[in-house]
Amino acid sequence: MIKHDQIIIGRTTSCLLFSWRTQTPCILTHDLTYHRCDPQFEDLDFCEFNAKDPLEMITNLSFALSFTGLLLHPLNVQNIRIDDNINLITKNNRTITYDANPIIFDTKKKKLFDVYDEFHWRRGSTHDVDELNSRERFCRKINFYSSRRPKVKPETKDLIVSSIMTEEQIISPDYGNGMVRIKALRMMREAGLKGQLGMVKNGKEYYKTIKMDFHSREIIPRFKQLKTFREVFEMEQKQEKQWKMFEKLRFKQKI
């Protein structure tokens, strides 16, 4: 039996960051699911983690927790049972028991999901728009980013359409990627984005409709949490030995 004062148990990025902020050991019961366009990451500066975006921040955070031993059994949890102790079964069926006070960070799922539909830009005029917003949950935001596809010009911008949906909406064709395409095209047209130039007649330019191909849909459930990601992010950082050890390593790398 392994003893700790406390162990945080959860499955979200908020839980992971809470472990680092409080310098408390953490067990993730599932693989992390998150998206770079998640609204919880908006308007946050991740320079503290030597990161330019949420994906880099979470990668660096996960490394820091694993390196300092605060993240217990990363990617190796098959099941967990809590009674008088914390009983963990690894993916190779090894049983490990912890004598510690459990802090349950993430509880049951909420009825809302974050849904991300990604489209590849096929035909249209180049533009310098980075995002578009609406006041509705369905297609609430469009994020444009330089395409990472091979043999595609760097000025081409693919896009991710973010929505907040219920489970019923997710399985409804009225909220499928076809309807997302229609709503996104309307938002782009209202913002002045155009397709390819079709013709010029009497000095007036006529443009074709923007063409884009659906690529993928990612659905991420929301959970009830002790604190939101932003609340955890704004917490004061405890500077225990694990934090000091990692800061020392970072300082040596900078030199």
Side-chain angles (χ1 to χ4, degrees), residues 8 17-24 235-238 240:
I8 301 166
L17 181 58
F18 186 72
S19 171
W20 183 248
R21 282 283 187 255
T22 60
Q23 297 288 276
T24 305
M235 288 175 59
E236 183 178 354
Q237 176 66 53
K238 283 192 174 183
E240 304 296 335

Side-chain angles (χ1 to χ4, degrees), residues 6-21:
Q6 295 178 319
I7 293 180
I8 301 166
I9 299 173
R11 57 181 298 174
T12 63
T13 54
S14 305
C15 173
L16 200 68
L17 181 58
F18 186 72
S19 171
W20 183 248
R21 282 283 187 255

Side-chain angles (χ1 to χ4, degrees), residues 19-233:
S19 171
W20 183 248
R21 282 283 187 255
T22 60
Q23 297 288 276
T24 305
C26 171
I27 296 174
L28 293 179
T29 59
H30 298 73
D31 294 348
L32 286 176
T33 54
Y34 54 90
H35 196 280
R36 63 181 182 273
C37 295
D38 193 315
Q40 67 180 344
F41 301 136
E42 291 176 357
D43 304 319
L44 293 179
D45 184 358
F46 299 117
C47 63
E48 169 191 355
F49 299 94
N50 293 339
K52 299 177 182 177
D53 57 60
L55 299 188
E56 189 177 15
M57 177 265 179
I58 294 168
T59 299
N60 294 348
L61 175 62
S62 299
F63 174 76
L65 286 162
S66 299
F67 179 81
T68 57
L70 287 173
L71 182 57
L72 307 175
H73 314 287
L75 304 176
N76 193 30
V77 177
Q78 178 173 291
N79 197 7
I80 192 167
R81 187 184 76 254
I82 300 173
D83 41 40
D84 293 335
N85 300 303
I86 300 172
N87 303 285
L88 181 146
I89 300 176
T90 65
K91 291 184 178 179
N92 56 358
N93 291 322
R94 179 187 172 198
T95 301
I96 302 172
T97 302
Y98 287 97
D99 179 9
N101 178 38
I103 300 175
I104 310 300
F105 190 90
D106 303 303
T107 56
K108 63 181 181 179
K109 291 182 181 180
K110 293 184 176 181
K111 295 182 179 180
L112 294 177
F113 296 79
D114 291 300
V115 180
Y116 303 95
D117 291 289
E118 185 173 8
F119 293 86
H120 289 166
W121 187 273
R122 285 301 177 195
R123 287 203 301 269
S125 302
T126 57
H127 62 87
D128 58 0
V129 176
D130 291 326
E131 65 179 51
L132 297 173
N133 294 278
S134 76
R135 296 182 179 180
E136 301 176 14
R137 284 183 171 179
F138 182 60
C139 301
R140 68 172 195 87
K141 189 173 186 177
I142 302 176
N143 289 92
F144 297 93
Y145 62 95
S146 296
S147 179
R148 303 180 180 92
R149 290 176 285 147
K151 299 181 181 180
V152 175
K153 295 180 179 179
E155 60 267 24
T156 299
K157 287 188 173 183
D158 293 331
L159 57 140
I160 294 172
V161 186
S162 305
S163 302
I164 300 173
M165 300 187 195
T166 63
E167 190 171 359
E168 291 75 18
Q169 289 172 330
I170 289 173
I171 62 177
S172 170
D174 293 335
Y175 294 87
N177 63 75
M179 297 303 295
V180 172
R181 181 198 304 272
I182 293 172
K183 176 70 181 294
L185 287 172
R186 185 186 308 134
M187 290 172 63
M188 288 187 276
R189 185 170 59 251
E190 292 172 351
L193 275 63
K194 301 174 181 177
Q196 285 183 326
L197 179 63
M199 61 180 291
V200 179
K201 186 175 182 180
N202 298 326
K204 186 176 180 180
E205 297 177 338
Y206 294 87
Y207 290 86
K208 298 179 180 179
T209 302
I210 293 172
K211 299 292 184 182
M212 59 186 192
D213 296 335
F214 174 72
H215 175 63
S216 64
R217 166 171 281 197
E218 188 170 352
I219 301 170
I220 299 178
R222 292 187 174 190
F223 294 89
K224 293 184 178 180
Q225 302 175 317
L226 285 181
K227 292 178 179 290
T228 66
F229 185 88
R230 186 174 297 273
E231 289 171 340
V232 178
F233 190 85

